[in-house]
């Protein structure tokens, strides 16, 4: 299993990253400062480090410098509140693979993580998922009904991904908000309802079939069996 080390001292953001990376199937370890990060990497080497630059004691630049000095070539994605070009250049020159400036979209962060891992740890393409008349290609963000591509927004696809990869499990509105929206967004439970309604319409539920069930007025569940089909 791909192991990711998150180095972030802001508790709410750290938990958001841990939740979303864990949802994607990664093994995640989180620490809040530079020295614990170096210790964690030495004890259990990660396949990728998500590294905040602004840490309380040993900052991200120092962590990155220490990693490269000890010849640890682990890929590093920098998170920074700094927008200055000099900081970005310094991070990349020290050996970072990519960076994101806060505030950022969780969807974008996940895309950056996957892109870095594809470059550094090439693996076979994941299988397709099928459910009823639908086919889902998660790496390509593609969903089809029969042979017709569904015109989904990134947010709708993210919600769909959460539901189909945990078919039969009820996700509360709060959980969907945490998994599908970025930390600095201010969505409400009603926002989830609106997106689910749009998703249902695009799936064709207005034609009689029901794929997403509302459970007890509290959350949503994908009701059809999901099968893995190797490519």
């Amino acid at each position: 299993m791909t192991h990711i080390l998150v180095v972030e001292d802001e508790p709410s953001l750290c938990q958001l990253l841990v939740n979303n990376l864990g949802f994607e199937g990664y093994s995640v370890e989180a620490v809040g400062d530079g020295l614990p990060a170096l210790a964690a990497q030495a004890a259990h080497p990660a396949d990728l480090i998500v590294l905040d630059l602004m840490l309380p004691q040993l900052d991200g630049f120092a962590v990155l410098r220490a990693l490269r000095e000890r010849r640890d070539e682990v890929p590093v994605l920098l998170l920074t509140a700094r927008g200055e070009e000099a900081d970005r250049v310094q991070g990349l020159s020290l050996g970072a693979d990519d960076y994101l400036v806060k505030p950022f979209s969780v969807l974008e962060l996940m895309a950056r993580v996957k892109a870095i891992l594809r470059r550094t740890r090439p693996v076979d393409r994941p299988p397709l998922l099928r459910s009823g008349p639908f086919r889902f290609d998660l790496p390509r963000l593609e969903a089809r009904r029969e042979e017709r591509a569904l015109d989904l927004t990134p947010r709708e696809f993210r919600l769909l991904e959460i539901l189909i990869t945990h078919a039969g499990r009820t996700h509360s509105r709060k959980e969907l908000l945490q998994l599908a929206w970025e930390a600095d967004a201010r969505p409400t439970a009603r926002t989830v309802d609106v997106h689910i309604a749009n998703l249902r319409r695009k799936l064709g539920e207005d034609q009689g079939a029901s794929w997403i069930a509302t459970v007890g007025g509290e959350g949503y569940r994908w009701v059809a069996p999901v099968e893995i089909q190797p490519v």
Side-chain angles (χ1 to χ4, degrees):
M1 179 182 291
T2 301
H3 180 57
I4 296 179
L5 175 62
V6 173
V7 189
E8 169 60 59
D9 67 316
E10 183 182 337
S12 60
L13 177 55
C14 184
Q15 191 60 55
L16 181 75
L17 296 175
V18 169
N19 289 346
N20 279 271
L21 290 166
F23 171 77
E24 294 290 344
Y26 302 122
S27 163
V28 187
E29 181 177 3
V31 296
D33 207 348
L35 288 176
L38 293 173
Q41 177 65 5
H44 185 190
D47 299 296
L48 171 69
I49 297 178
V50 179
L51 176 63
D52 187 20
L53 278 182
M54 300 296 289
L55 297 169
Q57 296 181 345
L58 191 68
D59 68 19
F61 289 131
V63 172
L64 187 52
R65 187 178 296 107
L67 288 170
R68 298 315 184 220
E69 286 177 351
R70 68 190 193 191
R71 300 186 183 279
D72 187 335
E73 298 302 322
V74 59
V76 174
L77 172 61
L78 294 179
L79 305 181
T80 176
R82 302 172 176 177
E84 293 84 356
E85 182 180 6
D87 290 324
R88 301 196 298 269
V89 171
Q90 181 180 354
L92 295 172
S93 65
L94 286 172
D97 293 78
D98 203 349
Y99 67 89
L100 276 175
V101 177
K102 298 177 182 179
F104 52 81
S105 161
V106 171
L107 296 174
E108 182 179 6
L109 180 132
M110 293 301 159
R112 299 284 186 97
V113 165
K114 292 176 182 179
I116 293 172
L117 289 172
R118 279 197 301 270
R119 293 197 303 266
T120 58
R121 304 181 70 237
V123 295
D124 293 335
R125 185 177 160 207
L128 298 173
L129 298 180
R130 288 185 180 273
S131 184
F134 302 103
R135 185 182 70 177
F136 307 105
D137 189 333
L138 301 185
R140 292 186 175 182
L141 304 182
E142 292 179 354
R144 291 180 174 274
R145 178 166 184 163
E146 306 297 350
E147 295 304 316
R148 178 176 62 87
L150 303 181
D151 183 21
L152 304 180
T153 67
R155 191 83 63 196
E156 290 165 353
F157 193 92
R158 176 64 172 165
L159 286 168
L160 180 61
E161 180 182 8
I162 294 167
L163 295 172
I164 64 174
T165 54
H166 297 82
R169 173 188 167 189
T170 299
H171 290 78
S172 68
R173 290 176 175 85
K174 181 178 179 181
E175 186 176 11
L176 292 172
L177 286 170
Q178 291 175 337
L179 292 173
W181 273 264
E182 48 272 17
D184 62 324
R186 294 292 184 269
T188 65
R190 177 59 181 161
T191 307
V192 176
D193 295 339
V194 170
H195 279 77
I196 291 291
N198 291 337
L199 185 54
R200 282 172 163 163
R201 176 178 53 79
K202 292 181 180 181
L203 291 172
E205 292 200 358
D206 56 345
Q207 300 173 19
S210 177
W211 309 103
I212 302 174
T214 304
V215 182
E218 295 297 326
Y220 297 98
R221 180 177 68 209
W222 184 265
V223 297
V226 175
E227 299 177 349
I228 298 175
Q229 179 179 355
V231 178

